[in-house]
Amino acid sequence: MNENIISCQKCGLCKNQPPLLDIKKKSQVMWVGLSAKKKTDEKECPLSSITNSGRLIQQIEEAYTDSTLVTYRTNLVKCLPLDSKHKLRYPNKTEIDACFSNLITEIDSVSPKIVFLLGKNVYSAIDRHFKLSFEKWDGYSYCYKEKSGIYYVPIHHPSYIHVYKRKEIDEYIAGVIKIITELL
C-alpha cells in the first residue's frame, strides 16, 4: 500500500513534501483529516499528537474504555498544499480528487469498521465520491452512513473544537465515544 502512495505524483504537491502516512495496520477506527501539515520530525504521522487536533484524537482514544482499540490516522490529501508564500493552505478540489484513490487504497488495506470524517471539507469530498448524502449532526450527536460494511461518520474537526468550543471538549469526546461503542 505505502509504496504506491509514496510514489504518487498525480497532483504535484509531492514536490512540497512527500506523502505523510501512518504505519500500516489493520484498525477498527480510521481518522481522516483534510491534508498533511509540514513535518517537523521524520517519524511524524498524520494527525500527530504534537498537533492540537492529534492531541484531541488521542484524548478520545484514551477515554475509550477498551484498550484493544487500534486506530489509523490519515488525510484526504497526503502531501503538503502550500500557497505562493509557502504557507499551508486548503487543498483544492482537483488535488482532493487526484488523491482520493490513495484514500481508497488505505481503507481497503486497513479495513476499518468506522471511518471518522473530520470536518465539512472531508465529509463533503467523501459524500461527492461515494454519494452518501450525510445528515448534519445535532450538537455532538453524530449520524453515520454505511457503505460496504464500513461506517462513515462525519464529525466536527478537532481543531474547530479546540479553538471555538474548548469548554465543550468533554461533550465532544463523549459523542465520539458513543459512536465507537455503538458501532464496534
Side-chain angles (χ1 to χ4, degrees), residues 10-11 13 34-35 76-77 81 89-101 121-122 124-129 131:
K10 293 178 193 172
C11 70
L13 292 179
L34 182 58
S35 66
L76 275 179
V77 175
R89 63 169 172 79
Y90 287 117
N92 60 42
K93 181 182 178 294
T94 302
E95 292 160 343
I96 290 169
D97 291 348
C99 202
F100 201 80
S101 64
N121 290 330
V122 175
S124 295
I126 298 294
D127 185 1
R128 188 166 36 86
H129 283 270
K131 312 247 183 292

Side-chain angles (χ1 to χ4, degrees), residues 78-145:
K78 313 296 179 216
C79 299
L80 181 66
L82 298 175
D83 65 15
S84 60
K85 297 178 182 175
H86 300 293
K87 298 284 185 184
L88 185 64
R89 63 169 172 79
Y90 287 117
N92 60 42
K93 181 182 178 294
T94 302
E95 292 160 343
I96 290 169
D97 291 348
C99 202
F100 201 80
S101 64
N102 291 327
L103 179 65
I104 302 282
T105 298
E106 286 178 300
I107 291 170
D108 289 345
S109 177
V110 172
S111 302
K113 178 98 171 146
I114 304 169
V115 177
F116 284 108
L117 310 172
L118 307 179
K120 183 175 182 174
N121 290 330
V122 175
Y123 79 73
S124 295
I126 298 294
D127 185 1
R128 188 166 36 86
H129 283 270
F130 288 165
K131 312 247 183 292
L132 292 176
S133 189
F134 292 112
E135 299 170 34
K136 184 71 173 144
W137 51 72
D138 179 23
Y140 301 108
S141 180
Y142 299 109
C143 301
Y144 53 84
K145 295 284 182 170

Side-chain angles (χ1 to χ4, degrees), residues 4-134:
N4 291 338
I5 296 172
I6 288 170
S7 63
C8 177
Q9 296 183 10
K10 293 178 193 172
C11 70
L13 292 179
C14 56
K15 70 184 181 308
N16 297 330
Q17 173 179 289
L20 192 58
L21 299 170
D22 198 350
I23 297 167
K24 180 186 162 190
K25 58 193 173 269
K26 296 286 182 193
S27 301
Q28 297 118 313
V29 172
M30 178 183 273
W31 305 94
V32 182
L34 182 58
S35 66
K37 66 163 211 67
K38 183 125 179 103
K39 284 173 47 169
T40 56
D41 180 324
E42 275 307 307
K43 297 176 187 167
E44 197 167 333
C45 69
L47 301 164
S48 167
S49 59
I50 65 169
T51 67
N52 293 329
S53 294
R55 271 193 302 279
L56 190 45
I57 290 169
Q58 184 175 350
Q59 282 181 266
I60 293 166
E61 293 170 349
E62 290 171 354
Y64 184 66
T65 56
D66 184 348
S67 63
T68 64
L69 181 69
V70 179
T71 67
Y72 181 87
R73 300 176 186 198
T74 192
N75 290 302
L76 275 179
V77 175
K78 313 296 179 216
C79 299
L80 181 66
L82 298 175
D83 65 15
S84 60
K85 297 178 182 175
H86 300 293
K87 298 284 185 184
L88 185 64
R89 63 169 172 79
Y90 287 117
N92 60 42
K93 181 182 178 294
T94 302
E95 292 160 343
I96 290 169
D97 291 348
C99 202
F100 201 80
S101 64
N102 291 327
L103 179 65
I104 302 282
T105 298
E106 286 178 300
I107 291 170
D108 289 345
S109 177
V110 172
S111 302
K113 178 98 171 146
I114 304 169
V115 177
F116 284 108
L117 310 172
L118 307 179
K120 183 175 182 174
N121 290 330
V122 175
Y123 79 73
S124 295
I126 298 294
D127 185 1
R128 188 166 36 86
H129 283 270
F130 288 165
K131 312 247 183 292
L132 292 176
S133 189
F134 292 112

